[in-house]
Amino acid sequence: MKTLLLPSGSAIPVLGQGTWNMGEDPAQRKREIDALRLGMDLGMHLIDTAEMYAEGGAEEVVGAAIHGRRAETFLVSKVYPHNADRRGVQAACERSLRRLGTDYLDLYLLHWRGSVPLAETLEAFEALKQAGKIRDFGVSNFDTDDMQEAGELPGGDSNAVNQVLYNLARRGIEWNLLPWCRARAIPVMAYSPLESSPGEQRRMLGNPHLKSIAERHGASSAQIALAWLLQQENVIVIPKAVDPKHVRENRAAQDIVLTAQDLREIDQAFPPPTRSTPLDMR
Ligand code: NAP
């Protein structure tokens, strides 16, 4: 699996597995665990989760999936903004570690910006790093001005990633956030790469131009959408899939090389931004 380097020098895989909506339904638990394990068998060792997902339920599913396989996993979790004060971060991290059945996270993110001063959250992350509970920390749903502000605070230069909504139909970050992060070698993690809501996903993946590119490659529209993201410099992609056919397809998307002609057609079907817009969020 291809990797990028975090500012700390640690390698992070460019293709991983999301877990939002996992852990909600006990009847789905085995399928979810099997999907994550299949993904790892195929080389997708990065798993993205959060204390928010099923209020800890997703972390428990991940814990079961990585049981006995912690060393091969790159584990990412996130803290709620309302837990992001000095003591709250530490307690939330301990709870996540317990549910995940591990004693460290590879990456711990602030899920979105709340009312706790950023300086306090960064200080708390730094303390967790010193204590060996997390290897790196970063943020999610931060726009360029938030990134700038974080970068100027003590510990801000250790901010390892920004996880944001990015896919073919939502290219706003290409105007300034993505170049800003690239210039500083801070990887961007693209969430909802396939547009998680069924209606929006149908609209994006049903695009006739996307379908014809997919046909040329003998691939699905979803694979082309992922391949396009994987071809972007400095971008990590974390599709969530429970259906084993989807898991296999997503892994195989890394092997698709889009041509200059494909990229031109994609730009026509899903135009890049022509002005600055506020960051899109789920
Ligand atoms: P997504 O990964 O873009 O889409 C997930 C949906 O697409 C599921 O319904 C899945 O179905 C389906 N799917 C997966 N692979 C497919 C394929 N090859 N062909 C057709 N359909 C496919 O959406 P997401 O879950 O919102 O985003 C991915 C991850 O990003 C999340 O799980 C979470 O870890 C993270 N995230 C972070 C934030 C944040 O605020 N930081 C927000 C949203 C998401 P099946 O499950 O049935 O296979």
Side-chain angles (χ1 to χ4, degrees), residues 49-84:
T49 190
E51 63 170 336
M52 186 190 100
Y53 303 160
E55 292 301 327
E59 288 181 328
E60 286 172 1
V61 166
V62 174
I66 66 170
H67 186 69
R69 304 180 71 164
R70 176 65 186 97
E72 66 183 273
T73 313
F74 189 103
L75 198 49
V76 185
S77 193
K78 312 183 199 80
V79 61
Y80 266 127
H82 63 253
N83 285 335

Side-chain angles (χ1 to χ4, degrees), residues 44-268:
M44 295 188 288
H45 297 289
L46 186 163
I47 299 182
D48 177 81
T49 190
E51 63 170 336
M52 186 190 100
Y53 303 160
E55 292 301 327
E59 288 181 328
E60 286 172 1
V61 166
V62 174
I66 66 170
H67 186 69
R69 304 180 71 164
R70 176 65 186 97
E72 66 183 273
T73 313
F74 189 103
L75 198 49
V76 185
S77 193
K78 312 183 199 80
V79 61
Y80 266 127
H82 63 253
N83 285 335
D85 61 306
R86 200 169 291 108
R87 290 170 65 168
V89 167
Q90 186 171 354
C93 183
E94 293 292 353
R95 288 193 298 270
S96 288
L97 291 175
R98 217 169 21 250
R99 289 188 289 259
L100 289 160
T102 182
D103 55 3
Y104 74 97
L105 295 172
D106 293 278
L107 185 57
Y108 198 33
L109 310 181
L110 173 60
H111 208 148
W112 65 91
R113 212 172 158 178
S115 57
V116 175
L118 205 45
E120 184 172 339
T121 306
L122 293 180
E123 202 182 295
F125 279 160
E126 197 60 60
L128 283 176
K129 208 169 153 178
Q130 294 305 321
K133 306 273 183 189
I134 63 173
R135 298 250 162 108
D136 274 292
F137 61 82
V139 295
S140 176
N141 296 302
F142 268 39
D143 212 338
T144 315
D145 52 344
D146 300 311
M147 289 300 283
Q148 243 150 6
E149 193 182 325
E152 285 160 13
L153 292 168
D157 52 357
S158 302
N159 186 8
V161 304
N162 187 11
Q163 185 177 118
V164 293
L165 177 57
Y166 184 36
N167 62 43
L168 280 175
R170 298 177 192 259
R171 297 182 59 175
I173 67 163
E174 291 172 29
W175 187 258
N176 47 16
L177 181 59
L178 189 55
W180 191 96
C181 291
R182 276 186 186 141
R184 290 157 185 80
I186 299 174
V188 164
M189 297 181 80
Y191 74 66
S192 303
L194 299 170
E195 282 283 318
S196 49
S197 95
E200 286 164 351
Q201 184 174 98
R202 258 194 310 278
R203 197 168 322 126
M204 183 175 93
L205 299 185
N207 181 287
H209 302 284
L210 188 61
K211 281 169 121 174
S212 86
I213 298 168
E215 247 166 58
R216 286 207 294 273
H217 285 270
S220 68
S221 293
Q223 286 181 300
I224 300 300
L226 296 177
W228 177 80
L229 281 168
L230 288 164
Q231 236 163 284
Q232 308 295 318
E233 181 199 334
N234 207 43
V235 171
I236 293 159
V237 189
I238 48 168
K240 170 259 177 189
V242 175
D243 182 332
K245 175 176 168 276
H246 290 162
V247 177
R248 289 181 193 284
E249 272 193 14
N250 297 350
R251 168 60 187 86
Q254 218 216 340
D255 304 325
I256 297 172
V257 180
L258 298 173
T259 64
Q261 175 64 23
D262 295 334
L263 297 175
R264 267 195 302 277
E265 289 177 26
I266 284 174
D267 280 349
Q268 278 160 9

